[in-house]
């Protein structure tokens, strides 16, 4: 069997469709099917149950796919070893970033990185945390930037910085005159939240826990952007919480409505995450060094309490 054949097996296992897998592998469907059949004949087993729709792995197929991932990763590592020996930092690198981090962090480091490492072709995707985990595990991302800890067995995390939560409180709100606020001041019933699927939303829910002061919600508003939440808060529809870096670009008039938490400040942990196979680790290290260099001047908070980004069941 060959590495190419194993890659075909992995593609079918992921997409559960021979035609789609062939398209993703840039070969014809008959070619892909023939190569997989050759492996099955060589091993005298069936990797896929073709009678089911979508196609399913057999019991032995599950074990083969698990081992095939290891073999393909180790084969790719050979190129990594050669590039590191030559001191070469280049090639295609696929990076995922969650939506509540991308608009603030990416402009801070991207220009520096591409100037310092012009041979790296960065392919950047804005994805939510669940999508990132899936793509990392399937080999469709080399690394990602997300809120952690994620407690994923196959993923490593390198902490980049701690980003405090900051309250946005409009003038008409009863907490507006406070210089600092406490978690106990929060009322989850009046906090405007991002849509479901954003880990920053889950962080707020974990922070507030059972801070509900009303039995009845008169309305519920969720949005996909902080800008919308700020405008709704200004209309008197509630308050909201923002990541610290997002507050740096607010208008001066809006900055007057920001209230920091008393120490230890609730914060999210932002990390560079990647598969434990550590493929392209030289580019990952270059990314970490670049981001750390630009972020240390923007965020200097130390006394913080990390709020989990994981949705509590």
């Amino acid at each position: 069997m060959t590495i190419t054949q194993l890659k075909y097996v992995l593609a079918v296992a992921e997409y559960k469709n021979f035609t789609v897998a062939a398209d993703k592998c840039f070969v014809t469907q008959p070619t892909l099917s023939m190569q997989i059949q050759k492996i099955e004949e060589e091993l005298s087993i069936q990797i896929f149950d073709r009678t089911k729709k979508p196609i399913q792995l057999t019991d032995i197929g599950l074990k083969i796919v698990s081992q095939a991932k290891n073999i393909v990763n180790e084969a790719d590592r050979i190129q990594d070893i050669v590039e590191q020996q030559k001191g070469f930092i280049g090639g295609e690198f696929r990076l995922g970033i969650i939506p509540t981090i991308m608009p603030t962090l990416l402009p801070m480091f991207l220009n520096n990185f591409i100037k310092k490492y012009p041979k790296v072709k960065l392919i950047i995707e804005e994805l939510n945390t669940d999508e990132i985990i899936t793509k990392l595990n399937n080999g469709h991302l080399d690394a990602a930037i997300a809120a952690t800890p994620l407690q994923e067995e196959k993923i490593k995390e390198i902490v980049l910085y701690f980003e405090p939560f900051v309250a946005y409180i409009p003038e008409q709100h009863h907490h507006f005159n406070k210089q600092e606020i406490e978690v106990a001041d929060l009322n989850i019933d009046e906090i405007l939240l991002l849509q479901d699927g954003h880990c920053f939303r889950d962080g707020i829910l974990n922070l507030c826990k059972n801070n509900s002061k009303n039995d009845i919600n008169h309305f519920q508003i969720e949005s996909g952007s902080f800008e919308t939440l700020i405008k709704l808060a200004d209309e008197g529809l509630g308050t909201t919480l923002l990541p610290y870096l997002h507050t740096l670009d607010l208008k001066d008039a809006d900055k007057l409505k920001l209230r920091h938490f008393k120490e230890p400040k609730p914060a999210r942990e932002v990390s560079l995450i990647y598969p434990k196979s550590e493929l392209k680790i030289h580019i990952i290290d270059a990314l970490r060094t670049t981001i750390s260099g630009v972020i240390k001047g923007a965020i200097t908070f130390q006394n913080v309490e990390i709020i989990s980004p994981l949705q509590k069941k």
Side-chain angles (χ1 to χ4, degrees):
M1 70 185 72
T2 66
I3 298 297
T4 299
Q5 288 174 329
L6 293 178
K7 287 181 178 180
Y8 293 164
V9 169
L10 293 179
V12 176
E14 179 179 354
Y15 298 108
K16 297 180 173 57
N17 183 289
F18 278 82
T19 302
V20 175
D23 184 58
K24 297 293 182 179
C25 294
F26 304 103
V27 296
T28 64
Q29 189 268 327
T31 297
L32 180 137
S33 296
M34 181 180 66
Q35 292 302 320
I36 290 178
Q37 187 175 351
K38 281 185 177 180
I39 293 183
E40 291 179 322
E41 291 173 354
E42 179 182 340
L43 299 175
S44 299
I45 52 92
Q46 290 291 312
I47 299 174
F48 299 101
D49 184 347
R50 295 163 174 80
T51 65
K52 294 183 178 179
K53 301 294 181 183
I55 292 169
Q56 299 294 318
L57 287 163
T58 60
D59 290 342
I60 188 65
L62 284 168
K63 296 178 181 179
I64 289 173
V65 164
S66 178
Q67 186 61 32
K69 287 180 179 178
N70 295 333
I71 293 170
V72 170
N73 280 338
E74 291 304 315
D76 290 342
R77 193 189 301 278
I78 293 175
Q79 185 63 37
D80 267 9
I81 291 171
V82 172
E83 290 178 355
Q84 289 184 58
Q85 180 66 29
K86 293 179 178 179
F88 175 76
I89 300 180
E92 185 176 286
F93 191 86
R94 298 157 298 176
L95 179 70
I97 309 178
I98 62 173
T100 58
I101 290 176
M102 188 161 179
T104 51
L105 181 62
L106 186 61
M108 295 177 69
F109 79 84
L110 182 58
N111 197 35
N112 284 357
F113 183 83
I114 59 179
K115 283 182 177 179
K116 191 171 183 180
Y117 304 102
K119 295 180 180 179
V120 176
K121 181 184 177 182
L122 270 183
I123 299 173
I124 302 170
E125 290 186 75
E126 184 175 88
L127 303 163
N128 66 38
T129 303
D130 288 342
E131 291 170 330
I132 281 173
I133 292 171
T134 298
K135 288 203 167 194
L136 284 173
N137 287 332
N138 288 336
H140 297 317
L141 284 179
D142 297 305
I145 300 172
T148 54
L150 295 176
Q151 301 173 7
E152 289 290 324
E153 182 182 354
K154 297 180 180 179
I155 293 176
K156 281 192 172 184
E157 303 173 357
I158 300 177
V159 178
L160 296 171
Y161 58 91
F162 303 116
E163 184 175 24
F165 292 67
V166 181
Y168 184 87
I169 300 177
E171 295 176 6
Q172 63 270 32
H173 194 272
H174 57 279
H175 287 324
F176 179 77
N177 291 324
K178 288 193 171 187
Q179 296 301 308
E180 288 184 312
I181 63 170
E182 302 178 60
V183 173
D185 294 328
L186 300 177
N187 178 4
I188 191 60
D189 298 315
E190 64 181 22
I191 295 178
L192 302 167
L193 297 170
L194 291 173
Q195 293 170 339
D196 197 13
H198 290 273
C199 61
F200 192 77
R201 165 202 168 92
D202 294 327
I204 292 174
L205 294 175
N206 293 339
L207 175 66
C208 295
K209 296 177 183 175
N210 296 319
N211 286 16
S212 178
K213 297 178 173 61
N214 297 311
D215 294 328
I216 300 175
N217 288 334
H218 296 290
F219 58 86
Q220 180 178 345
I221 299 175
E222 298 178 359
S223 173
S225 76
F226 289 120
E227 287 72 19
T228 300
L229 298 181
I230 288 171
K231 290 178 180 178
L232 293 172
D234 285 337
E235 289 297 319
L237 295 175
T239 63
T240 194
L241 297 183
L242 306 171
Y244 174 76
L245 286 180
H246 190 89
T247 68
L248 300 182
D249 292 329
L250 293 180
K251 299 175 184 177
D252 289 341
D254 288 338
K255 287 183 179 180
L256 296 176
K257 302 166 190 174
L258 298 176
R259 295 295 179 271
H260 290 270
F261 285 88
K262 292 182 179 179
E263 293 186 344
K265 298 179 184 297
R268 64 174 174 178
E269 178 184 272
V270 176
S271 299
L272 186 59
I273 65 176
Y274 53 94
K276 286 187 176 179
S277 59
E278 296 189 357
L279 292 172
K280 302 185 182 181
I281 192 65
H282 50 305
I283 300 180
I284 292 171
D285 286 340
L287 261 177
R288 177 188 57 79
T289 301
T290 302
I291 295 172
S292 297
V294 299
I295 203 69
K296 63 183 179 182
I299 296 185
T300 57
F301 301 97
Q302 298 296 328
N303 189 7
V304 297
E305 178 183 356
I306 304 305
I307 305 301
S308 172
L310 300 178
Q311 185 175 11
K312 294 187 177 179
K313 305 298 183 184

